Amino acid sequence: MRFRIRTITEAEDIIISTLYEIGLEGAQIEDRIPLTPLEKEQMFVDILPEGPEDDGLAWLSFFVEKKDDGLVAVCGEDRTVDSVLARIREELEQIRAYCEIGEGSVTVDETEDIDWINNWKQYFHQFYIDDILVIPSWEDIQPGDEEKLVLHIDPGTAFGTGMHETTQLCIRQLRKYITPETELLDVGTGSGILSILSLMFGAKRAVGTDLDICAEEAVAQNCLANGIAPERFELLIGNIITDRAVQDQVGYACYDIVAANILADVLVPLTPVVVNHLKPGGIYITSGIIDDKEQTVTEAVEAAGLRVLEVTRQGEWVSVTARKE
């Protein structure tokens, strides 16, 4: 059951806090407040679409489990829907005495009980990146595909399945430059897809860095699924741009290739740092660059003393490949 309250943005926190005290412990917030700069930085997009103008309205939804007898569970107790609704309205009227809450109306409806953990799988199926077959664990390799290079990967909490143009651009560039002696540094490794494919292409060893602790489990699972020995792929959690300890642990002037599929605004401060980790003659492969940021990245690459070798494109996305002289 969903209890949905129409209110105003200024009252969101006080209503959520008050209803938490009576056992409604989770809230879905819908409003038109613009994202903060920090929130934008944490998203995997360079340019956000323009949203509707903030009108000050907000909808707060609270969900409780409905049982077979029609009662709902709140704080471990079985209650009628009407009693919960009455208590919500009582609390809202008490808040209204000292705080503007707008309309403060409450609607009740029944939501569909969906297995969200598994239901999304219907939207992710095997696909090809050139001659590479990318396949999730719940699908089988089809007749005729047995001889293809197969990457087993499941979408998860860490970014990267190979479906996005930026990842595909990186994969093609990696394939051009990898040799059996390649030592790879993969900055922002996410699911580990670039490192895992590089090792499958024949690279000797890979080191990945990521800010997100979720990358640890994703990398471990994907390495296991693809038969990558743990000693061939080392993952470090931390910010290589600002954390000297991470930089020291990664090592200096010891990588034949550095790959970074991130965002243009991250690549700019990252590039002068990455130069220190590349061997002389090493290759720097960047992606995640929306087309109107191409010049920004190429200028940062050249300012760091690297020579641009090629710029490749797919859709509205760009990859810049450079060499350390």
Side-chain angles (χ1 to χ4, degrees):
M1 300 298 298
R2 176 177 67 168
F3 297 86
R4 193 166 187 254
I5 301 168
R6 176 171 171 150
T7 182
I8 57 176
T9 55
E10 289 84 354
E12 289 175 2
D13 290 343
I14 187 65
I15 292 175
I16 292 170
S17 176
T18 301
L19 296 189
Y20 180 90
E21 296 297 324
I22 67 169
L24 300 178
E25 297 181 350
Q28 174 184 292
I29 304 171
E30 300 168 76
D31 59 32
R32 295 178 175 178
I33 297 176
L35 294 175
T36 66
L38 178 59
E39 288 169 334
K40 291 179 181 179
E41 286 178 13
Q42 294 171 338
M43 297 180 71
F44 288 108
V45 289
D46 248 346
I47 299 174
L48 290 171
E50 288 295 328
E53 186 176 349
D54 182 17
D55 56 8
L57 296 177
W59 284 263
L60 307 180
S61 295
F62 299 84
F63 300 85
V64 295
E65 182 182 356
K66 182 182 178 184
K67 301 194 171 183
D68 293 339
D69 57 6
L71 299 177
V72 293
V74 180
C75 277
E77 297 180 4
D78 292 344
R79 304 181 187 179
T80 65
V81 172
D82 287 343
S83 69
V84 175
L85 179 60
R87 183 66 187 279
I88 291 173
R89 287 173 172 162
E90 178 185 337
E91 295 294 337
L92 289 175
E93 287 308 307
Q94 291 184 18
I95 295 171
R96 197 190 294 275
Y98 61 87
C99 174
E100 176 60 43
I101 65 169
E103 185 176 295
S105 59
V106 188
T107 57
V108 184
D109 61 358
E110 189 169 346
T111 64
E112 185 178 2
D113 186 14
I114 296 175
D115 181 6
W116 293 110
I117 297 297
N118 293 298
N119 196 54
W120 59 270
K121 291 181 179 179
Q122 65 182 294
Y123 302 107
F124 185 76
H125 303 288
Q126 55 186 281
F127 64 96
Y128 295 95
I129 305 171
D130 303 330
D131 62 339
I132 304 167
L133 173 62
V134 182
I135 186 168
S137 60
W138 55 88
E139 292 191 357
D140 298 321
I141 297 174
Q142 299 301 310
D145 285 339
E146 295 90 348
E147 301 303 318
K148 292 188 179 296
L149 182 61
V150 178
L151 175 68
H152 298 275
I153 196 161
D154 289 348
T157 52
F159 183 68
T161 62
M163 190 170 284
H164 200 277
E165 292 95 329
T166 61
T167 311
Q168 295 180 17
L169 285 166
C170 258
I171 289 168
R172 294 188 183 104
Q173 292 304 100
L174 285 165
R175 206 167 193 177
K176 287 182 186 179
Y177 293 100
I178 282 173
T179 74
E181 298 303 314
T182 295
E183 300 261 358
L184 171 75
L185 174 61
D186 179 9
V187 181
T189 195
S191 66
I193 182 173
L194 296 182
S195 292
I196 290 170
L197 270 177
S198 295
L199 294 168
M200 294 169 70
F201 293 156
K204 185 177 181 180
R205 179 174 171 268
V207 173
T209 70
D210 205 285
L211 300 176
D212 192 346
I213 194 69
C214 292
E216 285 187 336
E217 183 178 355
V219 165
Q221 290 179 350
N222 290 325
C223 282
L224 182 63
N226 290 282
I228 301 298
E231 63 270 16
R232 297 187 66 202
F233 185 3
E234 180 184 2
L235 175 63
L236 305 174
I237 300 298
N239 191 337
I240 194 172
I241 298 176
T242 58
D243 192 333
R244 183 60 182 269
V246 174
Q247 296 171 10
D248 291 345
Q249 196 171 356
V250 165
Y252 301 97
C254 55
Y255 294 95
D256 303 281
I257 299 176
V258 174
N261 179 24
I262 313 181
L263 291 172
D265 291 342
V266 180
L267 291 171
V268 170
L270 172 68
T271 300
V273 174
V274 158
V275 170
N276 300 317
H277 302 286
L278 272 170
K279 293 178 181 177
I283 300 296
Y284 181 40
I285 299 171
T286 69
S287 192
I289 307 160
I290 198 76
D291 50 16
D292 65 358
K293 295 290 187 76
E294 176 185 334
Q295 184 175 350
T296 301
V297 175
T298 55
E299 288 176 353
V301 166
E302 291 170 345
L306 301 165
R307 179 168 65 88
V308 175
L309 299 179
E310 56 182 323
V311 177
T312 55
R313 299 173 177 83
Q314 184 174 342
E316 60 183 350
W317 298 96
V318 176
S319 171
V320 176
T321 301
R323 185 189 302 277
K324 180 177 180 179
E325 302 293 1

